[in-house]
Amino acid sequence: MTPTIAPRVRTLVLLLLAAAGLLLAGAAPASAHAALTGSDPQQGVVVDKAPTQVSLTFSEQVSTSADSLRVLDPKGKPVQRGKPSNVSGTTYAVQLLSGLPDGTYTVTYQVVSADSHPVAGAFTFSVGAPSSTSVSVSGETAGGGAVGWLYGFGRYMSYAGFVVLVGGAAFVLACWQPGSGVRAVQRLVVSGWLTLTAATLALLLLRGSYTGSGKVGDVFDLDLLGQVLQTKTGAALVSRLLLLAAAALFIAVLFGAYDKREEDEKRDLTFGLAIGGTVVAAGLAASWAMSEHASVGLQAGIAMPVDVLHLLAVAAWLGGLTALLVALYRAPADTPVDTAAVRRFSTVAFGSVVALVLTGTYQSWRQLGSWSAFTDTRYGQLLLVKIGLVALLVGVAYISRRWTAQLVDTPVRGSRQAPEKERVGAGAGDAKGGSGASKDAGASKRAAQLARQRAAMDTARQKRERDADPHRFGLRRSVLAEAGVAVVLLAVTTVLTQTEPGRTEQDAKAATSSSSSTSSSGAVTLDMSFDTGGEDGKGVVRIDLDPARVGANEMHVYVERSNGRAFDVPEVKVAFTLESKDIGPLPVVPDHITTGHWAANGVQIPMAGDWEIAVTVRTSDIDQTTVSKNTQIG
């Protein structure tokens, strides 16, 4: 690297790393990828009688421990008994002590979502009437603090190590095989292996505290480590370490015996390294795909191989770009990166971009679910930033391709024979002078020293001439710019993997909004279209239930035509069913009040839960139908 460019490169790299650090430091604690979508009792509700249990429903399955769900009385004393249990699907419950007095109770939860991220939160409900409480619910977070920051940094370094390891090795094997003997490229790939290994070990140690207490002192707790090893994420990290052992053997062969083989042997070895390296690289990528976003949600069987392909394309592009940058700046004069190698990498990079666009489009659809999620969710906003950075990176890569098209190899003009001739001439002169053996030895030593100096000067001159080529200089600058954008892109991607998917966030907001609306209004309104199949048998039935909680409720039923006009039908019946508790159907026959209006007082709801309300409408002696909807009551 020339003296004038080296300080600029170092400064730019430091600035880019600082930007990446700010992105990581400025990110909120890892958002849970499982969201709380419902609870029984609901948040903020007032129930007449103390419930026997508290249940929470999440958007996906979660892992619980003995202290995952806690219920605290107004004084902060736990009132739950036993461990949380999975009562059905994504609903988890904990039993409560009997005879709880009136007052406000606090429910706290800390679980781990199926895609490995911790989720915590808290809410309150009241028995009889609200009261003051000594429990604060504002500080319930997961994945934050020093341990959360270290875990996020470890994730970033593991991604960076994977990209450099896989992409650098692929660049050497597929694009520039003479690079296997270049010390700077060897150090780059080995540093990727060391970074990924160290980061994986750190994540394994941090995992227990990250999903639990968040205390730095628990990082080296062997009991926690044993629990982590029994989880899906722990198994993925251990598998990654085993694959890294195989990767070490691959590196040893690539940078050891490979460059010294004959051409025939090298072709066979290249094939073997390509197959083995692809298997190891895919296995490393799968250690992420099988334990994070891709492993849960829609079409997980398709999403996991797509995610593996996405990670491999990222590594081939960005890792190969890093190796090319090192080769352009640090390759020795006698082993310059040639035009053919740069053009081969350009082809590989183009294929990687195509793969990234296809796999990224699928992943975006899977994680967002709607166009509005791009702007309404943090995941969507970060995804827009990532798309912008990728577009910028592609633009700079296009400039690099233009420089590559104009690149011409500069022939290496050596003068290795001149020192040899001078050395022979010097020996002959000394022989003619007959100055003795000591003078011959001294002259030979001096000639050899001069020869080394001339060789070094010749090498430096060749490097200056090659670097002075405007096309090569332009390529170096554009590749450096690409690498700078890649550093920031990798940081944004790391934050994105720790952010709640847009689809989940919108579902959680909808559930919270519905719950808040129900709690604030104190009533539930359901509209259901019906068609009995007979003459004048189409319309809409509306159910109003007030206050929609455990105990006595007032119910109104309205029957209207499609144009909104009320009309009478011979009979209307209502039934309530709580399938999760095998309660019901509980029949209610409302009284006719006026045209299109029926009502019933004292409708008893024995337990809070997700109730099905079924309405049977009869429009003639033989024409009737039953329509139903589910709603949270209590």
Side-chain angles (χ1 to χ4, degrees):
M1 189 181 299
T2 60
T4 56
I5 295 179
R8 299 178 187 176
V9 174
R10 285 195 294 267
T11 302
L12 181 58
V13 170
L14 288 174
L15 288 174
L16 292 171
L17 289 176
L22 287 174
L23 278 169
L24 288 172
S31 300
H33 297 187
L36 183 68
T37 58
S39 64
D40 180 14
Q42 288 184 341
Q43 178 176 352
V45 74
V46 179
V47 297
D48 294 329
K49 183 180 178 182
T52 59
Q53 68 174 17
V54 170
S55 63
L56 304 181
T57 301
F58 296 91
S59 59
E60 63 183 46
Q61 288 191 335
V62 298
S63 299
T64 62
S65 61
D67 295 328
S68 289
L69 303 181
R70 296 193 304 156
V71 183
L72 309 176
D73 67 11
K75 297 181 180 179
K77 181 181 177 181
V79 295
Q80 80 278 0
R81 55 186 177 87
K83 298 180 180 180
S85 60
N86 181 209
V87 293
S88 65
T90 59
T91 300
Y92 302 80
V94 64
Q95 300 298 314
L96 302 182
L97 300 175
S98 58
L100 296 180
D102 292 352
T104 296
Y105 291 80
T106 303
V107 180
T108 68
Y109 57 92
Q110 181 164 332
V111 296
V112 180
S113 65
D115 61 355
S116 80
H117 295 274
V119 48
F123 64 90
T124 62
F125 71 92
S126 300
V127 177
S131 69
S132 60
T133 176
S134 61
V135 182
S136 173
V137 299
S138 59
E140 293 295 328
T141 60
V147 171
W149 188 92
L150 288 172
Y151 196 86
F153 183 73
R155 287 172 60 84
Y156 174 78
M157 295 307 295
S158 64
Y159 279 123
F162 172 77
V163 165
V164 171
L165 169 63
V166 174
F171 176 79
V172 171
L173 201 59
C175 304
W176 189 42
Q177 294 180 5
S180 62
V182 175
R183 185 62 59 86
V185 175
Q186 293 175 357
R187 284 198 294 264
L188 175 72
V189 177
V190 172
S191 68
W193 184 90
L194 291 173
T195 300
L196 179 55
T197 302
T200 303
L201 287 171
L203 291 175
L204 198 57
L205 291 173
L206 290 166
R207 180 70 188 172
S209 179
Y210 171 69
T211 59
S213 66
K215 298 177 181 178
V216 177
D218 289 341
V219 170
F220 297 101
D221 188 326
L222 295 181
D223 290 336
L224 277 179
L225 180 60
Q227 295 173 18
V228 168
L229 294 176
Q230 298 176 22
T231 64
K232 181 172 66 173
T233 302
L237 292 172
V238 171
S239 300
R240 192 181 303 167
L241 288 174
L242 295 175
L243 287 166
L244 283 168
L249 178 61
F250 173 89
I251 294 172
V253 174
L254 180 62
F255 295 135
Y258 181 77
D259 193 48
K260 301 174 184 177
R261 298 298 179 99
E262 298 295 333
E263 287 301 320
D264 292 341
E265 295 180 344
K266 187 176 288 189
R267 278 196 298 268
D268 294 338
L269 189 56
T270 300
F271 179 78
L273 287 174
I275 298 297
T278 301
V279 172
V280 172
L284 289 172
S287 68
W288 278 283
M290 296 179 68
S291 62
E292 297 190 355
H293 276 174
S295 62
V296 295
L298 295 174
Q299 301 178 351
I302 299 175
M304 285 189 288
V306 168
D307 197 46
V308 169
L309 182 59
H310 189 82
L311 287 171
L312 292 177
V314 170
W317 185 17
L318 302 187
L321 186 68
T322 306
L324 176 60
L325 180 66
V326 170
L328 287 170
Y329 277 100
R330 301 298 299 276
D334 58 347
T335 316
V337 58
D338 56 1
T339 304
V342 178
R343 289 175 178 167
R344 280 193 291 269
F345 173 70
S346 182
T347 302
V348 171
F350 179 77
S352 299
V353 171
V354 172
L356 285 173
V357 170
L358 295 176
T359 57
T361 301
Y362 171 77
Q363 289 177 327
S364 299
W365 166 81
R366 184 172 176 271
Q367 298 295 347
L368 289 175
S370 66
W371 290 105
S372 61
F374 271 111
T375 55
D376 295 345
T377 66
R378 185 167 180 265
Y379 186 94
Q381 294 162 1
L382 281 171
L383 187 58
L384 287 176
V385 173
K386 179 180 178 180
I387 292 172
L389 287 171
V390 170
L392 177 61
L393 197 57
V394 170
V396 181
Y398 174 74
I399 297 174
S400 297
R401 285 177 66 89
R402 294 186 61 185
W403 285 119
T404 300
Q406 304 174 55
L407 195 62
V408 177
D409 289 329
T410 303
V412 178
R413 297 194 300 272
S415 57
R416 298 179 181 272
Q417 296 301 323
E420 184 66 25
K421 291 179 180 178
E422 292 173 4
R423 186 163 58 252
V424 172
D430 290 341
K432 289 179 181 179
S435 57
S438 60
K439 287 187 177 182
D440 288 345
S444 298
K445 184 177 181 180
R446 177 61 178 168
Q449 188 177 28
L450 290 173
R452 287 194 298 270
Q453 291 175 352
R454 289 191 181 95
M457 293 173 62
D458 189 50
T459 299
R461 188 187 76 256
Q462 293 169 14
K463 186 172 177 62
R464 285 196 302 271
E465 290 176 356
R466 187 179 72 243
D467 293 343
D469 176 12
H471 304 311
R472 184 174 290 269
F473 179 77
L475 178 63
R476 291 169 66 182
R477 298 294 292 269
S478 63
V479 170
L480 180 61
E482 282 187 77
V485 177
V487 171
V488 181
L489 175 63
L490 194 61
V492 173
T493 301
T494 304
V495 177
L496 194 64
T497 61
Q498 297 178 209
T499 304
E500 184 176 353
R503 187 189 295 270
T504 304
E505 184 177 339
Q506 285 193 322
D507 290 346
K509 285 180 179 178
T512 302
S513 175
S514 175
S515 174
S516 299
S517 174
T518 300
S519 298
S520 60
S521 66
V524 166
T525 299
L526 300 175
D527 289 333
M528 292 171 274
S529 299
F530 66 86
D531 183 0
T532 61
E535 183 180 355
D536 201 21
K538 293 183 179 180
V540 176
V541 60
R542 185 173 75 247
I543 300 290
D544 286 343
L545 191 66
D546 188 13
R549 68 181 189 185
V550 175
N553 292 264
E554 183 177 348
M555 183 184 71
H556 294 267
V557 182
Y558 301 92
V559 178
E560 301 174 346
R561 301 187 189 278
S562 301
N563 59 9
R565 294 184 60 183
F567 75 104
D568 278 337
V569 295
E571 185 179 28
V572 172
K573 295 186 294 184
V574 181
F576 294 81
T577 304
L578 184 60
E579 292 185 0
S580 63
K581 300 296 183 183
D582 292 329
I583 298 177
L586 306 178
V588 177
V589 181
D591 298 323
H592 185 262
I593 305 299
T594 184
T595 303
H597 181 199
W598 291 258
N601 293 321
V603 177
Q604 293 291 326
I605 303 297
M607 181 180 295
D610 186 22
W611 285 84
E612 178 192 71
I613 301 180
V615 184
T616 300
V617 180
R618 182 168 62 85
T619 56
S620 70
D621 291 340
I622 59 173
D623 298 317
Q624 76 173 32
T625 188
T626 300
V627 292
S628 65
K629 272 191 177 181
N630 281 50
T631 187
Q632 187 73 27
I633 299 178

